[in-house]
Amino acid sequence: MDRVLDGEGEAPAEQRARAFANDGLPPPLDLLIGKVADRPAQVGDADWAAAKTSGCTEDQLFELVICAAVGKSARLYEAGLAALAEATAEGRPDHAS
Amino acid sequence: MRLDVLDRGYGAGTKLLFAVIRLFSGHAVPDAAKLTFYRSDFYGARAKEFTHLAMRGPSAWSVGDRELMAAHVSAVNECAFCVGAHTATAAQAYQDRPRVAAVLADLESAPIAEPLRATLRMLGKLTRDGTIDAEDVREVLAAGVSPQQVEDALAVCAAFNTTNRLADAFGFELLGPEGYEAGAGYLLKRGYR
């Protein structure tokens, strides 16, 4: 995660962070990135055609799409780990319920 | 691929490697593998490391179980490329194609052990709804799954929720049955590195 967010890249780090969070990217990038995060099977050529009108290079779009995919997966992973921590903490003697 | 750089943006050494792979395997390098070679320092190197650890690292889950989890998550995401790849890999790992097909057709009636069924149910819910709660995990633990196994399954889920998105976004070319079988053989022999 740190590499795609904070490492060297063609897209500005702030833009990568917005793609990672799927929040705050301006049109037309928001359509492609939103679908990558929430409806990946529905990404189509039209979404790419629109994104390419943003003026981003292919390398920048490559980075933003990866950030969106990794960001969504990281949120799922964290939600799962948090649920596991809560479920197992309740069984411990020092857990007040 | 929907980006020209992912088809043509490779250095001479990588192009030679792709040609050698094609020569010896009889199959073009699949898009899933090509992606990891493009600017590998940005994504591919770390992605391969994480996925290999999740799928082939130490775990109480078998390789077949983890490949089935990958296929199941891919099916929930409706990612045709990854469903094909990991259905084939799980089937080869188990040496039991009907069992894998049964899980993908109907998890609740499929002939698998309850701990695995409960875990697949949890991964499906997490992928579909975007979250799970402690009660969802408690049901998995009650089925006989250890906390470490839950954590291992969540890592598989994370790896394939990333890969599914990239497959659909970048437009990975679907393979024929022979291509998926060849890829499955490679993944079982060499892993994801």
Side-chain angles (χ1 to χ4, degrees):
Chain A
M1 282 194 307
D2 292 346
R3 174 62 186 90
V4 299
L5 282 173
D6 302 326
E8 194 176 325
E10 298 291 323
E14 182 188 349
Q15 201 174 32
R16 282 183 269 158
R18 291 179 190 276
F20 187 93
N22 183 26
D23 185 27
L25 274 177
L29 292 173
D30 59 340
L31 293 175
L32 173 64
I33 294 307
K35 281 192 179 180
V36 171
D38 292 331
R39 292 166 289 152
Q42 294 178 25
V43 173
D45 292 343
D47 301 305
W48 279 96
K52 287 175 181 176
T53 67
S54 68
C56 285
T57 65
E58 287 211 349
D59 272 310
Q60 289 171 329
L61 292 175
F62 165 79
E63 293 175 4
L64 296 179
V65 165
I66 285 174
C67 285
V70 173
K72 177 68 179 200
S73 295
R75 290 190 288 280
L76 295 177
Y77 192 39
E78 287 162 9
L81 291 176
L84 173 62
E86 187 181 344
T88 51
E90 287 170 5
R92 291 179 190 156
D94 60 348
H95 179 78
S97 59
Chain B
M1 294 279 211
R2 290 192 172 106
L3 286 176
D4 287 341
V5 290
L6 295 178
D7 281 322
R8 289 188 278 276
Y10 302 93
T14 304
K15 287 179 181 172
L16 179 62
L17 176 63
F18 288 174
V20 169
I21 291 171
R22 183 170 197 146
L23 181 67
F24 283 96
S25 72
H27 297 276
V29 177
D31 288 344
K34 282 167 64 180
L35 172 65
T36 63
F37 280 96
Y38 185 69
R39 293 179 53 199
S40 60
D41 174 61
F42 187 80
Y43 169 73
R46 286 165 180 78
K48 285 195 289 186
E49 187 180 340
F50 181 80
T51 306
H52 187 81
L53 189 60
M55 301 301 286
R56 300 291 183 268
S59 176
W61 295 115
S62 71
V63 167
D65 293 340
R66 284 179 274 177
E67 290 291 343
L68 184 61
M69 292 174 197
H72 180 64
V73 167
S74 301
V76 172
N77 279 327
E78 300 176 36
C79 179
F81 177 90
C82 294
V83 169
H86 299 284
T87 296
T89 312
Q92 283 192 24
Y94 282 140
Q95 290 292 295
D96 189 345
R97 191 167 305 277
R99 177 161 41 150
V100 176
V103 168
L104 297 182
D106 180 12
L107 173 62
E108 299 307 324
S109 65
I112 56 172
E114 289 308 315
L116 179 57
R117 190 190 323 278
T119 301
L120 292 170
R121 195 184 293 131
M122 177 191 71
L123 298 185
K125 181 175 183 183
L126 178 59
T127 299
R128 193 179 300 110
D129 298 350
T131 193
I132 51 173
D133 59 25
E135 184 55 33
D136 295 313
V137 177
R138 276 195 289 270
E139 288 176 11
V140 177
L141 298 173
V145 178
S146 72
Q148 183 61 55
Q149 281 182 293
V150 172
E151 193 169 331
D152 293 350
L154 291 172
V156 173
C157 187
F160 282 89
N161 265 293
T162 302
T163 302
N164 292 164
R165 282 171 169 74
L166 298 180
D168 282 333
F170 291 131
F172 287 3
E173 185 180 354
L174 299 181
L175 307 179
E178 281 186 19
Y180 284 125
E181 290 301 325
Y186 178 89
L187 289 177
L188 291 177
K189 185 176 178 184
R190 305 286 298 273
Y192 291 80
R193 287 187 177 130

